[in-house]
Amino acid sequence: MPLGHVLYESGNHLQHVYFPVNCIVSLLYVMEDGHSAEIAVVGNEGIVGVALFMGGETTPNRGIVQSAGEAYRLPGKVLKDEFLRAGPFQHLLLRYTQALLTQMAQTAACNRHHSVDQQLCRWLLLSLDRLATDELVMTQELIANMLGVRREGVTEAAGKLQNLGLIHYSRGRIRVLDRPGLEARACECYRVVRNEFARLLPDELAR
Amino acid sequence: MPLGHVLYESGNHLQHVYFPVNCIVSLLYVMEDGHSAEIAVVGNEGIVGVALFMGGETTPNRGIVQSAGEAYRLPGKVLKDEFLRAGPFQHLLLRYTQALLTQMAQTAACNRHHSVDQQLCRWLLLSLDRLATDELVMTQELIANMLGVRREGVTEAAGKLQNLGLIHYSRGRIRVLDRPGLEARACECYRVVRNEFARLLPDELAR
DNA sequence: TGCCGTCTGTACGATGGCGCACAATGGGGC
DNA sequence: GCCCCATTGTGCGCCATCGTACAGACGGCA
């Protein structure tokens, strides 16, 4: 799964679902004028394509690989059959979907009230939680797309964080040096989402 | 269900689910500093308390009556038992939940990119779609809480709409005079949400 | 009829983010 | 080892929204 690969496009009927292993997938809404905003981010705790088992077949979003890596792909039909058996797997999928709901809700609130600085911290932490490393391969331009802000805004915010010694970055690589420091600067949204995932999916995160 | 009644509070375990008949319920996230933002709005097409059957029992949101009226209340256990029978009712609930996902996603994107003017139009239309009348009983102060903006911002935006002859309001009552005109001024977000609800819940809306 | 409290209108400086333009830097490819 | 281009840094004017403050206006109630 290379960086930037589009798993599905807004409105297209999904053929497969994906279980990220060591990659991250962003769910993005792309507006008519080309602006975009990240709705949620999915890593190995989750599944890309909940619309398949929820019954909608498609959603008005784009699924795009935000950090390269591997993922399992499963034909939609296989997943749907398994889902319909109404076993523990179904419950797991539903609990994950609720966690996703929370993440989206929090994104909405965060977009309304918090500064770019805070959102960048939240975003870095959420992404990092879904990877095994402390390094992200990602240009500021791409981060800006995700957050739905200007690239310059990200440059400025990231500059502050670097000056504070919280992160180090250069040409498309961001390394996190002080995680607790980042958390302290992030808004409550990060914590709310993290706690809700921990509550709903304790086993998944323990793996 | 009186105006302002809180159906559930952030983090509380839900005891019941509600099926609005002629009222509207807002799902609100309230921040630590007291600011708030509406996440989604539920009318007679939907159900309040999806967390119950999704398996989470609770969500970090508040459910509050935004327009007085009546609703059916069902003990959570009854709904859950029915849900577990995995019949058409389950499918309906899941499709509704997906529609809710779309509404939240669109709210997030809208909060990021659109002006107060546009969002007010979207909000009025979404609320109106969930009522039988063309009049909302709601002060600008409350609308501001929902949208997560200043009351003055709503006053200004509403003033423009009134000058254009699209709405008429006075002391807590808003009447919509020109619906197509409002739609024209609303951002794409309204249309996306409406279309998605129509696609996922054709029968519900036809009632 | 008159009062009072709620609701709406208006003003003003502050500020954060936007759009644009362009400079500086550094890494990979030749 | 050098060049080119992707990436990052910086500056500037603009505008929407914010916070605050206070003035009008309407309507229910005494």
Side-chain angles (χ1 to χ4, degrees), chain A residues 159-167 178 185:
Chain A
K160 286 186 204 164
L161 296 181
Q162 175 150 262
N163 287 338
L164 289 167
L166 303 180
I167 64 173
D178 178 0
R185 285 184 67 86

Side-chain angles (χ1 to χ4, degrees), chain A residues 142-157:
Chain A
L142 281 180
I143 297 178
N145 280 172
M146 298 294 154
L147 292 180
V149 300
R150 286 181 319 151
R151 195 266 311 159
E152 293 90 330
V154 174
T155 299
E156 210 167 335

Side-chain angles (χ1 to χ4, degrees), chain B residues 106-123:
Chain B
Q106 209 65 34
T107 303
C110 198
N111 281 353
R112 165 63 68 212
H113 290 296
H114 294 141
S115 67
V116 173
D117 290 36
Q118 292 176 302
Q119 294 189 37
L120 177 60
C121 292
R122 165 178 69 82
W123 188 89

Side-chain angles (χ1 to χ4, degrees), chain A residues 38-198:
Chain A
E38 189 180 76
I39 297 309
V41 51
V42 182
N44 84 50
E45 86 291 349
I47 176 174
V48 178
V50 295
L52 260 174
F53 59 82
M54 292 300 283
E57 310 296 336
T58 175
T59 68
N61 298 318
R62 176 183 292 174
I64 185 169
V65 177
Q66 176 206 311
S67 175
E70 297 180 3
Y72 293 114
R73 185 174 77 177
L74 204 60
K77 176 138 184 25
V78 175
L79 181 91
K80 212 162 174 181
D81 288 347
E82 181 61 33
F83 182 83
L84 291 176
R85 290 175 55 192
F89 185 60
Q90 185 189 67
H91 294 143
L92 183 59
L93 287 177
L94 291 180
R95 282 206 311 281
Y96 173 69
T97 304
Q98 201 202 320
L100 199 62
L101 274 167
T102 298
Q103 202 187 339
M104 289 188 182
Q106 210 63 34
T107 304
C110 198
N111 282 352
R112 164 63 67 210
H113 291 295
H114 295 141
S115 68
V116 173
D117 289 36
Q118 292 177 302
Q119 295 189 39
L120 177 61
C121 292
R122 166 179 67 85
W123 189 89
L124 285 172
L125 290 166
L126 281 179
S127 297
L128 226 61
D129 284 350
R130 283 156 181 75
L131 288 176
T133 73
D134 62 349
E135 185 170 277
L136 284 169
V137 177
M138 168 124 302
T139 65
Q140 298 183 354
E141 174 92 43
L142 281 180
I143 297 178
N145 280 172
M146 298 294 154
L147 292 180
V149 300
R150 286 181 319 151
R151 195 266 311 159
E152 293 90 330
V154 174
T155 299
E156 210 167 335
K160 286 186 204 164
L161 296 181
Q162 175 150 262
N163 287 338
L164 289 167
L166 303 180
I167 64 173
H168 174 80
Y169 61 91
S170 103
R171 305 190 76 67
R173 294 176 175 276
I174 304 182
R175 196 146 40 82
V176 171
L177 304 176
D178 178 0
R179 227 196 129 94
L182 264 192
E183 290 189 31
R185 285 184 67 86
C187 48
E188 64 197 79
C189 302
Y190 167 64
R191 257 165 295 131
V192 171
V193 171
R194 187 194 53 195
N195 293 344
E196 198 62 3
F197 270 78

Side-chain angles (χ1 to χ4, degrees), chain B residues 166-184:
Chain B
L166 303 180
I167 64 174
H168 173 80
Y169 62 89
S170 104
R171 302 188 77 68
R173 295 179 175 273
I174 304 182
R175 197 147 39 82
V176 172
L177 303 176
D178 178 2
R179 229 198 129 95
L182 264 192
E183 289 189 32

Side-chain angles (χ1 to χ4, degrees), chain B residues 18-24 43-45 69-72 130-131 207:
Chain B
Y18 298 82
F19 296 90
V21 176
N22 56 4
C23 65
I24 308 183
N44 84 49
E45 86 292 349
E70 298 182 1
Y72 292 115
R130 283 157 181 77
L131 287 176
R207 278 188 322 186

Side-chain angles (χ1 to χ4, degrees), chain B residues 125-144:
Chain B
L125 290 166
L126 282 178
S127 297
L128 227 60
D129 284 351
R130 283 157 181 77
L131 287 176
T133 74
D134 61 349
E135 185 171 277
L136 285 169
V137 176
M138 168 125 300
T139 65
Q140 298 183 354
E141 175 91 43
L142 281 181
I143 297 178

